[in-house]
Amino acid sequence: MVTVDDVRRLALALPRTEEHLIRDRVKFRIGRIVYLALSRDETELGFAFPKEERAALVASEPEKFSLPGAGDMRYHWVHARMAALGTAELGELITDAWRMCVPAKVARAHLEDALPPAPGLGRLRAAAAVFGEFPGVDRSWHALVADTAPGLDLSGAAHRTALHRWLNAWGCRIRYPREGEPDPLGAGLDAWWARHVLPAAPLAALTDREIGLLAAAYADLAALPLGRRTLGPTAAAKALFALRPRTVMPWDAAIAARLHGGRDERAFGRHLRTGRAWARAALAESGLDEDALTAGLGRPGLPLAKVLDEYLYVTLSHSPQKAQVRA
C-alpha cells in the first residue's frame, strides 16, 4: 500500500511539478495542467493516462483501476485505489502521467539521468509465466550451455561456432560461411575476445567501472565487420549475455528504443545500470539469493539477468502479451 507521502515524494522529484490544494484535494500539476489528483479522503489517485489505452488497463485489473466519472471521460484520465498500488508501480504511473504533460525535451533530459523503476516481484513472476509458455523457449540456451561447458570461451573455434548457432536461433540472421570461404564472424570474435577482459560479477554486484568495461566491449563487438554489415547492437548484447549470463542483461531493438532511446555504448551502459538497480531491488524484496529467487519466479536454473530480460521482452517487445503481464 502506498501513501500520500509516497505520491508527493515521487511527483515533486519530477521537473516543473507543483503541489496545490484545490477544493480540499491535493493535486500536482505542470503549469495549469493537472496530472495527479488525490480524492478528498485520499484513498484514490487520479492520474493522466491515454484515453485509447485505459479500457484495457481497467479490464486487466478492475480491483485496482477504474474509469473516471462521466464528466471526466473526455480527458486522458484514470483512477487507482491507493491500497492496491505498490511503490514501484506508483512510480511508473506517476512518471508516465508526468511525461504526458511536459515537453518531450524536458522528459528526455530528466529520464536520461533517472533509471526506470524496478518492476517488482509480482510483475517479474507474471512475465516469467508468459515467457515460459513460449514453445521451446529454453532449448537453444540449454544446448549452448551443454556445448560450451564449463563456460563459453571464444578462443576455441567450436565455441565460436556454437555462439553463432545460438545467435541465429534468436533471430540474428548471421550468414554461415560455405566450405572454403572465410569466416568473418569467427575471425572477428577471436580478435575481439583477445582485446577484452570481461567482468564476471553478478549483475547486482557490478561496479560502475565494470559497467564501463562491458559497455566499451559491447560497442566494439557491435561494430564487428561482417562483410557489408556489422554484427549489430542486438547480437552484441546477446553475445555478451552468453559469455557472462549472470552479469549482463541483454536487449533487443524495441527494448533499447523504449527504455533508452538509442543503442550506442552510452545507452548500453545505462541499460546495465538499470539491470543492476532492478536486480538489487528484486533480491532485497525477496530476501533470497539469486538462484532461490529465479526458482521462486518460476524460472529455476536461470540467471536473474535473463529473467529481467524476459520481463522486458514480454512487456516491451512482445506486445500481444502486455495485458497478461499486468494481471
Side-chain angles (χ1 to χ4, degrees), residues 5-261:
D5 286 338
D6 291 324
V7 176
R8 179 175 290 112
R9 172 176 55 82
L10 293 165
L12 293 179
L14 298 171
R16 303 193 182 187
T17 295
E18 296 177 348
E19 180 179 348
H20 296 270
L21 186 64
I22 303 173
R23 296 178 183 176
D24 297 325
R25 295 179 63 190
V26 176
K27 299 187 178 184
F28 299 88
R29 69 190 194 188
I30 307 294
R32 299 188 63 83
I33 302 175
V34 174
Y35 73 95
L36 297 173
L38 289 152
S39 60
R40 286 187 175 84
D41 62 5
E42 299 182 344
T43 62
E44 286 196 348
L45 176 68
F47 57 96
F49 193 85
K51 285 193 291 186
E52 63 272 14
E53 297 179 21
R54 66 186 177 191
L57 176 68
V58 172
S60 70
E61 294 183 279
E63 74 287 352
K64 183 182 296 185
F65 299 108
S66 60
L67 295 172
D72 290 333
M73 284 294 287
R74 67 185 185 276
Y75 300 118
H76 295 277
W77 202 252
V78 174
H79 291 164
R81 290 181 56 244
M82 294 276 283
L85 294 174
T87 304
E89 184 174 30
L90 177 67
E92 291 182 12
L93 295 175
I94 289 175
T95 301
D96 288 346
W98 170 81
R99 290 177 69 178
M100 293 178 65
C101 302
V102 294
K105 65 179 181 180
V106 173
R108 281 196 303 271
H110 175 72
L111 296 175
E112 280 179 359
D113 297 324
L115 297 178
L121 295 183
R123 289 192 170 196
L124 291 179
R125 189 174 292 108
V130 172
F131 195 89
E133 290 297 315
F134 296 154
V137 68
D138 296 322
R139 187 182 303 122
S140 65
W141 173 248
H142 289 314
L144 176 66
V145 171
D147 290 344
T148 59
L152 187 59
D153 181 351
L154 296 185
S155 64
H159 282 209
R160 296 194 295 268
T161 298
L163 178 61
H164 189 165
R165 186 165 53 245
W166 181 75
L167 289 173
N168 280 354
W170 281 98
C172 292
R173 299 179 182 178
I174 304 166
R175 182 178 176 274
Y176 295 109
R178 296 186 178 91
E179 186 175 355
E181 287 184 341
D183 180 6
L185 178 62
L189 288 175
D190 190 21
W192 174 86
W193 183 245
R195 290 195 296 271
H196 295 278
V197 178
L198 303 180
L203 179 60
L206 282 175
T207 66
D208 288 343
R209 177 181 176 277
E210 289 171 331
I211 286 176
L213 291 174
L214 288 165
Y218 155 82
D220 189 21
L221 187 55
L224 202 71
L226 302 177
R228 296 182 179 179
R229 53 170 286 194
T230 60
L231 182 62
T234 296
K238 291 185 181 299
L240 278 176
F241 164 75
L243 288 159
R244 296 290 187 267
R246 288 185 175 271
T247 305
V248 174
M249 181 174 74
W251 66 13
D252 61 20
I255 292 167
R258 293 284 296 277
L259 278 188
H260 311 297

